[in-house]
Amino acid sequence: MSTPVQEPKVYLPPQELVKSAHISGLEAYQRLVAEAQQDYTGYWARLAREFVTWQTPFTQVLNERDAPFFKWFEDGRLNVSYNCLDVNVERGLGDKTAIIFETDDGQVTRVTYRELLARTCQMANALRSRGIQKGDRVVIYMPMSVEGVVAMQACARIGATHSVVFGGFSAQSLRDRIQDAGAVAVITADEQLRGGKQLPLKAIVDEALSLGGCDTIRDVVVYRRTGGNVGFNAPRDKWLHELLDGQPDRCEPAWVEAEHPLFLLYTSGSTGKPKGVQHSSAGYLLHAALTTKWTFDLKPDDVFWCTADIGWVTGHTYIAYGPLANGGTQVMFEGVPTYPDAGRFWKMIQNHRVTIFYTAPTAIRSLIKAAEANPDVHPKRYDLTSLRILGSVGEPINPAAWEWYHANVGGGRCPIVDTFWQTETGGHMITPLPGATPLVPGSCTLPFPGIVADVVDETGKDVPWGQGGILVVKRPWPAMIRTIWGDPERYKKSYYPADFQGKYYLAGDGAIRDAKTGYFTITGRIDDVLNVSGHRMGTMEIESALVSHTELVAEAAVVGRPDDTTGEAICAFVVLKRPRPTGEEAKQIAKALRDWVGKEIGPIAKPKDIRFGDNLPKTRSGKIMRRLLRSIARGEAITQDTSTLENPAILEQLSQTN
Ligand code: WT7
């Protein structure tokens, strides 16, 4: 007897939204999909003319001659910062608030488009005064701040390629990125303020540069945020306010080619070394502007709030570029969701009358826990009636968290857009449109109009709906990754592998389409990449950090296991160069190794579980059997075939918690 299949719950878009949305009704969505199907390049060309202001209009749309190194709008010229700032001022939005910035300790400042343009120009002039030019790479290691956005926009204005490094990365990680990018300058702050604590930034830059290999760096520009004591190394180091002093508030933008690299952003892959994902100017800007408008139904009166950090791609596309390219008003937040208490997000939504709220499932899950433990921080205690649309990003949102978010934050009236995308895709790929798409909790629903996503098997053949497989994108799209900085071969191998005859973009995720509706559900990474609190971590990267502790560690293997709050948790199996520790000693060594990984990569990479063994489960040819380790990490009984295992007794040992 088969058990009856429960029909998934469906949430239709609210009638009012169907009437008023930019993309109103499913038919409107389908018309766009059909338009793209009939004339793919015509569709994107139409939008590129509508959403981007060109200095020199393009005549070529897509160039596939050097596939998979695709080029979009190749002969057009533009400036991204001009599109985000000047265009809005010229349209009469000079006095409109661009950014409502709230500090960790609750101080609020508002910045208009006119001011943001002036500050960006001054910063751009300051960078030019240091000899920074079009094509130079600039690393930005900054806290969440208006200055952080201004730094990104200023780079864009002069055609310098920025590479923002998240403020939680260690000196070592920062050094690796500076070195790989060959950056000429670092823009940083004295310290950052998060959750009432002052955390170092400049000191970490100093340490990174002292590790060597950063000879390309000529300038370190320091924004004074906390006033904390920092070492100053003249003439290399300069205070930002001193550099800005007397700089004109106008700056002629550098008109760059459409393909000019706007930014690099380092992300984890299946091998040890992070990859510098290179994005273009025009194609990226188009998708940032377009998806911000359609996915969030952004209107002139909206107050948009994306809670991501500018150190991640979400903070690039949906803070630094997308909302500004639309002349929108957005909230930007320096702090953390749990300070001074776990009601902070709800209080800020209430105070700023936020209408569109975009956050990560991991934040929602931890705020659910907090609200259950303390009714004072429950969203029901706050006036959240300003909200009209909610969003989710970074990892799958489990249906229970979806329902809670919908009922308690959205008051049952706000559609949730569960946006699937990646650092490499530049913007949303599979997502509901709030006035068009019926929602099913746990599904990111349908591809954004013009994105040809599908599910195939290992040979690249389509799998029928209802059957799981590999998520691919069958046509290049304007905002896609252009290459991996300095490693075009790795770009080809990672994203256009020979398995699919180099035809399809491989996302690295598994997916399944609903048998009836074709809706997508992402089933998780199919490579050695973990997703911890929405942060991407390579298992190999953590393994190499562990084994770089040559005094203690002989061998290490890292796998993921499900975690209620963080989505996935990092589990390390470690063989030491000394006898396997137990009890108190095991705890101490585990702590030392966690701290070590924190120093090597950053606190986000610290393994939650560390287990010690005399050995690791290996095949006779010496290959570590990770699937067995995955079962052990989950606390599951081992049901897999272990006949090829050299040392079966090790499973028993590793299954014991030390
Ligand atoms: C990976 C990309 C998207 C920007 C932030 C993360 C996972 C992302 C979803 C979603 C299920 C998701 C995928 C993807 N992911 N969004 N809505 N549903 N999974 O960017 O660090 O490049 O990570 O995050 O596994 O491949 P990223």
Side-chain angles (χ1 to χ4, degrees), residues 176-484:
D176 294 348
R177 286 157 174 76
I178 290 171
Q179 192 174 22
D180 190 84
V184 300
V186 181
I187 308 175
T188 189
D190 48 1
E191 295 175 317
Q192 54 182 331
L193 195 60
R194 284 166 70 82
K197 286 197 215 80
Q198 286 174 227
L199 304 166
L201 286 173
K202 170 64 165 60
I204 296 175
V205 173
D206 290 342
E207 194 188 333
L209 298 182
S210 74
L211 293 170
C214 300
D215 307 336
T216 49
I217 295 289
R218 299 190 304 253
D219 294 286
V220 174
V221 179
V222 189
Y223 159 54
R224 185 180 273 155
R225 168 59 189 99
T226 64
N229 247 334
V230 292
F232 228 70
N233 180 345
R236 185 198 71 187
D237 298 351
K238 280 142 207 105
W239 285 112
L240 176 63
H241 57 267
E242 287 176 8
L243 266 192
L244 289 177
D245 197 34
Q247 292 295 349
D249 58 8
R250 287 164 167 255
C251 171
E252 175 68 13
W255 303 107
V256 302
E257 319 75 70
E259 283 297 320
H260 181 69
L262 178 65
F263 66 88
L264 312 179
L265 187 56
Y266 284 82
T267 189
S268 298
S270 348
T271 65
K273 195 170 173 270
K275 37 194 183 186
V277 171
Q278 179 180 321
H279 277 288
S280 69
S281 293
Y284 172 81
L285 174 68
L286 164 60
H287 207 56
L290 177 67
T291 53
T292 304
K293 182 161 177 176
W294 288 3
T295 305
F296 299 114
D297 189 41
L298 187 75
K299 299 272 174 58
D301 292 336
D302 274 311
V303 178
F304 177 79
W305 183 18
C306 166
T307 68
D309 193 285
I310 51 167
W312 308 111
V313 73
T314 310
H316 282 59
T317 308
Y318 300 107
I319 296 177
Y321 293 110
L324 299 179
N326 281 286
T329 296
Q330 69 177 319
V331 171
M332 193 178 173
F333 177 40
E334 179 182 43
V336 299
T338 48
Y339 180 82
D341 62 39
R344 184 68 183 266
F345 275 2
W346 322 135
K347 192 168 171 201
M348 284 181 60
I349 293 172
Q350 170 180 288
N351 289 352
H352 301 302
R353 305 297 295 159
V354 171
T355 59
I356 306 168
F357 180 64
Y358 191 33
T359 197
T362 191
I364 297 163
R365 286 191 298 263
S366 69
L367 296 177
I368 294 176
K369 271 198 194 159
E372 281 169 355
N374 173 9
D376 288 345
V377 299
H378 196 286
K380 286 207 160 138
R381 288 286 172 93
Y382 299 82
D383 176 7
L384 306 182
T385 51
S386 56
L387 286 172
R388 59 183 202 95
I389 287 156
L390 301 175
S392 172
V393 59
E395 54 182 313
I397 176 161
N398 48 307
W402 195 103
E403 296 283 358
W404 186 93
Y405 191 30
H406 188 257
N408 295 291
V409 182
R413 9 163 262 288
C414 307
I416 300 176
V417 289
D418 175 1
T419 60
F420 168 84
W421 58 296
Q422 308 175 294
T423 304
E424 293 87 341
T425 69
H428 302 152
M429 296 300 278
I430 309 180
T431 178
L433 302 182
T437 319
L439 306 175
V440 175
S443 166
C444 52
T445 75
L446 296 169
F448 191 87
I451 299 298
V452 192
D454 213 339
V455 181
V456 301
D457 67 16
E458 293 76 19
T459 64
K461 257 190 29 230
D462 288 358
V463 304
W465 289 4
Q467 208 170 298
I470 298 166
L471 180 65
V472 295
V473 186
K474 292 181 165 174
R475 306 256 5 221
W477 67 101
M480 68 186 298
I481 173 175
R482 292 307 196 262
T483 188
I484 292 174

Side-chain angles (χ1 to χ4, degrees), residues 40-45 48 54 58 60-63 70-76 257-259 280 282-284 286 475-480 482:
Y40 189 69
T41 52
Y43 168 82
W44 285 116
W54 297 87
F58 60 90
Q60 322 267 313
V61 184
L62 170 62
N63 174 350
F70 302 102
K71 296 185 183 73
W72 284 90
F73 319 119
E74 216 179 340
D75 57 347
E257 319 75 70
E259 283 297 320
S280 69
Y284 172 81
L286 164 60
R475 306 256 5 221
W477 67 101
M480 68 186 298
R482 292 307 196 262

Side-chain angles (χ1 to χ4, degrees), residues 497-547:
D499 319 28
F500 307 142
Q501 298 81 47
K503 273 194 323 204
Y504 298 154
Y505 169 84
L506 178 74
D509 284 285
I512 182 166
R513 302 189 66 167
D514 181 83
K516 264 195 245 154
T517 58
Y519 273 23
F520 287 75
T521 294
I522 307 299
T523 52
R525 298 287 306 192
I526 52 171
D527 53 10
D528 294 317
V529 169
L530 304 182
N531 191 322
V532 183
S533 298
H535 300 325
R536 204 160 133 181
M537 299 295 332
T539 53
M540 307 279 238
E541 217 177 319
I542 306 168
E543 284 169 15
S544 37
L546 283 165
V547 297

